[in-house]
Amino acid sequence: MQKTDISFKRIQQLAIPAIISGIAEPVLSSTDAAVVGNIAEFGTESLAAVGIVGAFLSMLIWILGQTRSAISSIVSQNLGAGNLIKLGNFPAQAIYFNIGLSIIVLISTYFFVDEIFRLLNAEGIILQLSLDYYYIRVWGFPLTLFTFAIFGLFRGLQNTFWPMIIAAIGAIVNIALDIALVYGVDSYIPAMGVKGAAWASLIAQAIMAVLALIILLKKTDLSLRLRFPFHPEIKRLVGMSFNLFIRSIALNAALMLAVKEAAGLGKEYIAAHAIAINIWLFSAFFLDGYGAAGNALGGRLLGEKDFSSLWQLTKKINFYNLGVASLLLLLGIIFYNPLGVLFNKDPDVLLIFYGMFFMVLISQPLNAIAFTLDAIFKGIGEMGYLRNVLLGATFFGFIPVLYFAKYMDWGLIGIWAAILVWIAFRAVALIIKFKNKYYPLAT
């Protein structure tokens, strides 16, 4: 069997398309936030509403979207072990598994969303705008998870090119529709405000899902015909997905608590936090591009039992991602002021944002290490350990710091101090695990 290529060129071939495809979801949310934040009437309230709903939907997508990593891990490991042909009906069963989960979660939350948003401190006009935005955009949730499942299959097959094409088209459509539907087009389209932003995202997500289906059927030999009995790997998929499900609940508990505490400080604070978290999510998905390369190649190397190359790959990916993080940090410093104005022009919101944005920049090197190792661990199937790390980081790192900072009245800076501790906890725990388990196998 030919040895897996982990050269600089091969890593870039996987990472660069993955970066472009990975930022599609944050681009959808960030575009919505930037466009509605500049509405002449209720711009700050609209930004706050999109921030609250965006955080909630991102939570759901992250919780269930983790099956993409499980699918990718199983496919890449079987590819490395030379067992790809034995997967048979697994891809179709995995995709329908993802769709079924999304429908169950959508139904279980749809009828209680008013209470959920109130719990997140949304009230008055912000609550009404949040509901207007949610009741449209939520129908893109199953479409996104369907697309993610197909992206997982492509990644497992060591192909990040087609997800890039699909995601790029979706992002371009979303930006164009956001501007047209939110602000309106004279004599053609009335201004729809936050509802226009929601429709723009939903249409973009539908187009991405259709493109993903067409390309999967045209460019691979995989079939979406559902056949039984269940493939043996479905049991492993369910186990991995369950661990990632618990992990994502812990992850999103931290993010939602941050939103709740920011909203409790006032509408200007939640608006400033919405700007910061959108930029942070954009950078996180940007960094995840190299993580995707590590995820795909790492799973394949584990299947080949080539631990020496796995160690070399891990060093390379971390080095490259630290370079990307440094570039993001530098760009953040250069465009410190323009980034805030891009999202909102309320001087009170901008004053708060500029007073804490440096913490988003500080997080970048920590993000690089934590997210890179996180992706590699998903590729090699260490879902149980990833679950335990997130539980520890949330309950023993984030939450104590968050409420200590609240007691000390540190405001939004205190919330982001908790986020920094949360990320650092994850990075250190993953370094220790890799050094203790996989480095000895490599040497």
Side-chain angles (χ1 to χ4, degrees), residues 32 36 39 42 45-47 49-50 128-134 136 178 181-182 192-200:
D32 286 355
V36 303
I39 295 173
F42 301 122
E45 291 83 357
S46 296
L47 175 59
V50 169
Q128 185 56 54
L129 291 170
S130 297
L131 293 172
D132 288 345
Y133 182 71
Y134 171 85
I136 297 169
D178 252 333
L181 299 180
V182 172
M192 299 172 65
V194 294
K195 290 184 178 180
W199 277 113

Side-chain angles (χ1 to χ4, degrees), residues 150-205:
I150 293 179
F151 282 9
L153 291 174
F154 276 119
R155 183 183 294 183
L157 294 170
Q158 319 289 286
N159 184 325
T160 56
F161 175 77
W162 288 117
M164 174 191 70
I165 297 298
I166 295 164
I169 292 172
I172 292 169
V173 168
N174 186 74
I175 292 170
L177 289 177
D178 252 333
I179 295 170
L181 299 180
V182 172
Y183 301 139
V185 178
D186 289 343
S187 303
Y188 293 99
I189 302 174
M192 299 172 65
V194 294
K195 290 184 178 180
W199 277 113
S201 293
L202 176 58
I203 293 169
Q205 288 165 324

